[in-house]
Amino acid sequence: MSRSITRGNKFRMIFTGWWLVWILVQFYVVWSYGYSPAISITDSAVCNILLAGCCLLIVNNMKYYLPQHERYWYVLLISIVLSGTWLLAARTTLKIVFKNEYDYTVFLGSSLTLRYIFAFLMIACMAMISLLWYTLQEQQENQKRKEDAEKMAKDAELLKLRQQLQPHFLFNSLNSVSALAGSQPEKARHMIQQLSDFLRGTLKKEEHLPVTLEEEMHYLGLYLDIEKVRFGNRLQTAIVIDEEAGRLMIPALLLQPVVENAIKFGLYDTTGDVMISLHAEKKNDTLRITVTNPFDKTTAISTQGTGFGLASIERRLFLLFARTDLLRTTAGEQIFTTELTIPQYSL
């Protein structure tokens, strides 16, 4: 329900001040016709207190019933009826109070049309102000509900991506453990321990909270240790982090699937040593991360897989930043490059 316009202290002060001023104005007008101060102030006070009550009544009515665009005639109708009701109440009250003042009752009767017009204008004006106020409040509440719903949907999708990504990595790691269990049981046990440390750390992470690149690299290091147990000396890494870049923020656990993709394309279906390079720098208030790996077009088709890793990163970046240009890949003759751009203003 929309917040009532009458609950604001500013409205109360303006509303009270307006009616006090108008009471004085009407007092002066009646007094200028030669009536005593007592009659003048009574006439003004009765009329304006009743009229203020009618204005508050229509404000309250608009709070619980807000006419739609095709029913604005309701504002006109209620203004006409309420003005007539006010005129009847004010006329009856003043006639009872001044029943012995013949001159004043004649003056009262002759001024009824003018009084009605003024009351109608005041009530209609208050009705329009209330209509605009509550319409704006309703639009703001609808917009907030829409934004909350979109945020919930975005958070749910991010969580779904996270839940999909963890089994994806876990299954790959368990396959590696299985491969090592028979021939190299010590390496298999070591890999299980490293996998346990990695998963324990990732489970503590909040998906919607960013981390510094230094912290992100710590968890990437755990992942690389696991892969180095699997591939041994074949997997070589060259990591260069500029000093300024290390303090910049990045969505948690964003780099692991990027590097996993580089390892898949770089080491699968090859027997030699492979260098995976990662370079991070600050550029124009953004964090720029470039990952490169050897690439052979003749084997790329057989190792392409589902493409889930980079697709999930691209989708996640879109959900966080509403941009589709933050992940770029380039396949050269012998080098595959993945470039991430992380805006800092949104983190």
Side-chain angles (χ1 to χ4, degrees):
M1 184 179 293
S2 299
R3 182 172 65 90
S4 174
I5 188 175
T6 59
R7 295 183 64 182
N9 290 330
K10 186 176 181 180
F11 171 84
R12 293 171 184 171
M13 292 176 61
I14 294 175
F15 188 82
T16 303
W18 163 256
W19 288 110
L20 288 175
V21 169
W22 195 251
I23 285 174
L24 292 176
V25 170
Q26 188 168 332
F27 162 79
Y28 176 77
V29 171
V30 177
W31 178 68
S32 67
Y33 277 88
Y35 295 101
S36 66
I39 293 176
S40 300
I41 194 65
T42 303
D43 176 291
S44 180
V46 169
C47 290
N48 286 289
I49 289 173
L50 289 174
L51 190 53
C54 290
C55 289
L56 290 175
L57 180 63
I58 200 168
V59 168
N60 236 5
N61 180 75
M62 288 292 177
K63 178 182 178 182
Y64 296 103
Y65 176 72
L66 193 63
Q68 302 303 315
H69 296 291
E70 67 277 6
R71 303 190 66 183
Y72 281 167
W73 56 264
Y74 172 81
V75 176
L76 177 63
L77 179 61
I78 196 173
S79 299
I80 292 173
V81 172
L82 203 53
S83 299
T85 304
W86 168 84
L87 186 65
L88 180 62
R91 176 176 175 272
T92 302
T93 302
L94 290 172
K95 274 196 168 185
I96 292 173
V97 173
F98 299 112
K99 59 183 178 180
N100 297 324
E101 298 287 343
Y102 177 76
D103 289 343
Y104 173 76
T105 55
V106 172
F107 166 75
L108 178 63
S110 64
S111 64
L112 289 180
T113 301
L114 185 61
R115 291 171 187 260
Y116 177 83
I117 293 173
F118 173 75
F120 172 77
L121 292 175
M122 291 297 295
I123 292 173
C125 181
M126 183 57 68
M128 291 305 299
I129 292 173
S130 302
L131 180 63
L132 292 173
W133 167 271
Y134 289 121
T135 300
L136 180 61
Q137 290 283 302
E138 187 178 71
Q139 290 175 349
Q140 290 176 342
E141 289 177 2
N142 289 339
Q143 181 64 25
K144 185 177 185 303
R145 284 194 295 269
K146 181 181 178 182
E147 290 174 355
D148 289 343
E150 289 176 350
K151 184 177 184 302
M152 290 177 64
K154 183 179 75 172
D155 290 344
E157 187 168 355
L158 284 170
L159 179 60
K160 181 181 178 181
L161 287 173
R162 175 75 172 273
Q163 290 172 337
Q164 288 175 322
L165 187 59
Q166 287 288 33
H168 179 261
F169 163 67
L170 182 59
F171 293 152
N172 286 346
S173 299
L174 291 177
N175 286 335
S176 299
V177 171
S178 177
L180 292 171
S183 59
Q184 304 179 65
E186 286 297 326
K187 283 190 175 182
R189 282 193 292 269
H190 182 58
M191 189 172 181
I192 291 173
Q193 181 60 48
Q194 289 176 316
L195 179 61
S196 175
D197 292 340
F198 176 80
L199 293 177
R200 187 180 298 112
T202 58
L203 288 174
K204 294 178 182 179
K205 288 294 176 188
E206 294 288 343
E207 182 71 27
H208 62 282
L209 294 179
V211 297
T212 64
L213 180 59
E214 290 179 349
E215 188 175 353
E216 176 76 356
M217 292 306 300
H218 169 71
Y219 288 99
L220 182 62
L222 292 175
Y223 165 74
L224 288 173
D225 287 343
I226 294 171
E227 293 295 78
K228 285 178 180 179
V229 171
R230 178 185 177 187
F231 292 105
N233 294 330
R234 290 183 55 215
L235 175 58
Q236 303 292 324
T237 58
I239 298 176
V240 179
I241 307 293
D242 291 356
E243 185 176 352
E244 286 186 326
R247 295 190 292 268
L248 298 183
M249 308 303 291
I250 184 173
L253 304 172
L254 189 73
L255 293 181
Q256 183 263 322
V258 176
V259 174
E260 182 179 357
N261 184 77
I263 292 174
K264 178 180 69 173
F265 278 98
L267 278 87
Y268 287 19
D269 290 344
T270 63
T271 57
D273 295 348
V274 170
M275 175 67 70
I276 306 295
S277 300
L278 185 149
H279 179 250
E281 62 179 340
K282 179 181 179 182
K283 190 172 183 179
N284 299 328
D285 294 324
T286 63
L287 175 60
R288 188 71 56 84
I289 301 174
T290 304
V291 178
T292 61
N293 59 272
F295 177 73
D296 187 346
K297 290 184 177 181
T298 60
T299 61
I301 296 176
S302 63
T303 60
Q304 189 171 3
T306 63
F308 170 75
L310 291 184
S312 69
I313 292 299
E314 187 173 26
R315 180 60 180 167
R316 186 177 171 193
L317 289 172
F318 174 76
L319 290 172
L320 290 173
F321 302 103
R323 290 176 57 178
T324 59
D325 61 337
L326 302 181
L327 173 65
R328 294 190 300 174
T329 58
T330 305
E333 290 297 326
Q334 295 182 327
I335 296 294
F336 187 89
T337 303
T338 304
E339 187 176 285
L340 293 170
T341 302
I342 311 298
Q344 296 300 296
Y345 58 85
S346 299
L347 289 173

